[in-house]
Amino acid sequence: MSKVILISQIPLPYSHIGSWTTLYHNYLSSNHAIDYIICEKPETLYNGIDYGLVVNNNLIKIQKKFFKNPYLGYFNALEKIIEKNDKCIIQIIDNFGIVKPLLHFLKMKNKRNQCYLQFFYHGFPPFYENFLGRWFFEDIDEMVLLTHDSYKAHKNYYTVLPTKFSVLHNGIDTSKFHKVSFEEKESLRKQLGISNKKVFIWCSKDLPKKGLDFILNAWKRINVVDKDAVLLVIGANRDTKIEGVSFLGKIPNNDLPKYYQVADCYLFPTLCQEGFGMSLIEALHSGCYCIASANGGVPEVLQYGKLGKLIETPNFIEDWVQVIESFLEEKETHNISIPENLYSTKSWNEGMNTIIENAKKNFS
């Protein structure tokens, strides 16, 4: 039976908030199929999982510099595990830099044929140039993407694509992010000092690619006083006053659900090829109508418009003005029903177990 090894550059459990670290935390705290974790020593350890702890003492630092191998500590830990097991499935997350030295290490140890490499990519567009990146797909065994559209982007870009692909949609804790009743919604609004208004929300890091400036410029063109609308901006502090806009700064993750739950509409104006959009599905499950850029994996997440409004030309501010005004003028509440298990932690855990089980079958 193949053993499953997760190589992580971040110590797990991870004490801060992170999309994939949160997903793995939920997974490793339930019915999982991971046997080993290779990482630097975390503050606590998961029960029932063996660790290959990465040593980073002065001797290792000298050796890493001498051999020009920043992953030496990881490979020392890995060697002890693969020597004990005939076959291993090795999971790598977003770390393109480790793949080539890992392949070299496994070949030196005559272990390449005993190891199945799964690479999890949380971006959307192809990472490597077409011809210069061909070695990557020839040498890994499987690439796991967030969306089928990302696979199509890879398939259409690369002339040769000789590896297995799988798709695993992101998932969130639907016991935290869920829709509330009308009465609960009104109660939460009173707590936040909001009443009789249509509430919009934007939530992200304040980076140009996240599109906040586009939303703020669109908002300035809308008569929000007459239309009784407010915009809650989470994750950004701006020294500027805009009618109807409240900059709330960073909000603790445990408090986020109530802000989604008070909102009528979530704005997701990403200006990059987004891999998936965790906040998008948090808002969706919390009962928000979503208006989002049709970039990257977003159209697939919103089922090509079935679960929200997609803006095909998100770099045009006029398009945001038009869609927001249309939403404000509609008297009926948008009520989109989604299955509880769609994009949930439970479905992610089940999907991960299926991917591992299939890898074991392929590798038997």
Side-chain angles (χ1 to χ4, degrees):
M1 178 67 73
S2 301
K3 297 295 183 180
V4 183
I5 306 166
L6 170 62
I7 299 180
S8 173
Q9 283 188 278
I10 297 175
L12 298 176
Y14 183 55
S15 57
H16 302 287
I17 298 168
S19 56
W20 73 260
T21 56
T22 300
L23 285 166
Y24 266 93
H25 175 71
N26 293 330
Y27 177 62
L28 294 168
S29 301
S30 61
N31 180 30
H32 66 86
I34 304 293
D35 299 295
Y36 299 92
I37 297 175
I38 295 177
C39 64
E40 293 186 10
K41 187 175 182 179
E43 295 175 3
T44 60
L45 303 177
Y46 286 112
N47 293 325
I49 298 178
D50 292 323
Y51 276 80
L53 294 176
V54 176
V55 177
N56 200 25
N57 55 31
N58 289 333
L59 176 61
I60 294 294
K61 290 177 181 178
I62 293 170
Q63 290 175 335
K64 287 195 296 186
K65 189 173 183 180
F66 179 79
F67 292 110
K68 297 181 180 180
N69 184 353
Y71 303 105
L72 189 62
Y74 290 86
F75 298 160
N76 288 343
L78 178 61
E79 184 174 11
K80 296 175 184 177
I81 297 172
I82 61 178
E83 286 296 330
K84 295 189 298 183
N85 297 285
D86 291 334
K87 290 187 176 182
C88 296
I89 295 169
I90 299 176
Q91 292 193 348
I92 302 163
I93 304 164
D94 288 334
N95 187 353
F96 285 91
I98 199 175
V99 175
K100 189 168 282 188
L102 173 60
L103 289 164
H104 177 70
F105 165 78
L106 293 175
K107 289 172 183 176
M108 281 185 58
K109 298 297 178 181
N110 294 316
K111 290 287 186 177
R112 176 62 188 98
N113 291 335
Q114 294 173 234
C115 296
Y116 183 96
L117 302 187
Q118 285 185 325
F119 192 93
F120 288 73
Y121 178 43
H122 290 101
F124 181 86
F127 182 85
Y128 282 114
E129 191 272 334
N130 187 359
F131 294 102
L132 295 179
R134 185 173 294 176
W135 67 269
F136 177 82
F137 297 101
E138 290 174 345
D139 288 337
I140 65 170
D141 297 291
E142 182 178 4
M143 193 167 195
V144 184
L145 302 172
L146 293 176
T147 61
H148 292 89
D149 282 350
S150 179
Y151 164 67
K152 292 175 186 176
H154 283 74
K155 180 174 71 71
N156 293 335
Y157 178 71
Y158 290 108
T159 310
V160 177
L161 197 61
T163 195
K164 183 182 184 299
F165 276 78
S166 296
V167 169
L168 181 60
H169 289 146
N170 275 338
I172 58 164
D173 186 350
T174 53
S175 68
K176 292 181 180 178
F177 296 97
H178 59 85
K179 193 174 181 179
V180 296
S181 67
F182 175 80
E183 291 74 20
E184 289 175 286
K185 192 183 191 84
E186 288 301 305
S187 176
L188 288 171
R189 286 189 170 193
K190 286 180 181 178
Q191 292 176 28
L192 297 174
I194 302 170
S195 58
N196 301 319
K197 294 182 182 294
K198 280 198 174 181
V199 181
F200 292 75
I201 189 169
W202 177 96
C203 179
S204 186
K205 291 181 180 179
D206 194 1
L207 302 172
K209 66 180 181 180
K210 296 300 183 179
L212 177 58
D213 286 322
F214 279 70
I215 294 303
L216 296 178
N217 285 325
W219 196 262
K220 292 174 186 176
R221 304 185 194 184
I222 298 168
N223 190 338
V224 295
V225 176
D226 286 350
K227 295 181 185 297
D228 291 325
V230 294
L231 170 63
L232 306 180
V233 176
I234 296 175
N237 278 313
R238 299 279 185 99
D239 292 327
T240 181
K241 290 187 177 181
I242 302 173
E243 187 72 46
V245 178
S246 295
F247 293 97
L248 304 180
K250 291 184 179 180
I251 299 292
N253 200 48
N254 288 336
D255 291 338
L256 276 178
K258 71 178 181 182
Y259 287 92
Y260 290 127
Q261 289 161 349
V262 302
D264 298 294
C265 182
Y266 181 65
L267 302 173
F268 193 74
T270 181
L271 301 175
C272 65
Q273 296 294 306
E274 200 82 35
F276 197 84
M278 292 289 277
S279 64
L280 188 62
I281 57 176
E282 289 172 349
L284 190 64
H285 268 284
S286 300
C288 291
Y289 183 76
C290 294
I291 301 173
S293 304
N295 273 341
V298 173
E300 184 172 327
V301 173
L302 290 184
Q303 297 184 2
Y304 309 102
K306 181 180 177 182
L307 301 181
K309 175 67 177 177
L310 291 166
I311 296 187
E312 297 293 337
T313 52
N315 299 80
F316 290 76
I317 293 175
E318 293 78 9
D319 287 20
W320 289 97
V321 174
Q322 182 181 350
V323 173
I324 291 171
E325 284 187 333
S326 294
F327 182 86
L328 287 169
E329 289 166 2
E330 291 177 9
K331 294 182 179 180
E332 291 186 10
T333 304
H334 291 80
N335 189 15
I336 293 177
S337 178
I338 61 172
E340 184 180 346
N341 202 34
L342 180 67
Y343 310 139
S344 68
T345 296
K346 182 175 181 290
S347 64
W348 193 91
N349 292 353
E350 292 172 351
M352 175 62 82
N353 281 337
T354 298
I355 284 172
I356 291 173
E357 186 59 35
N358 286 339
K360 289 181 178 181
K361 291 176 182 176
N362 294 336
F363 198 41
S364 61

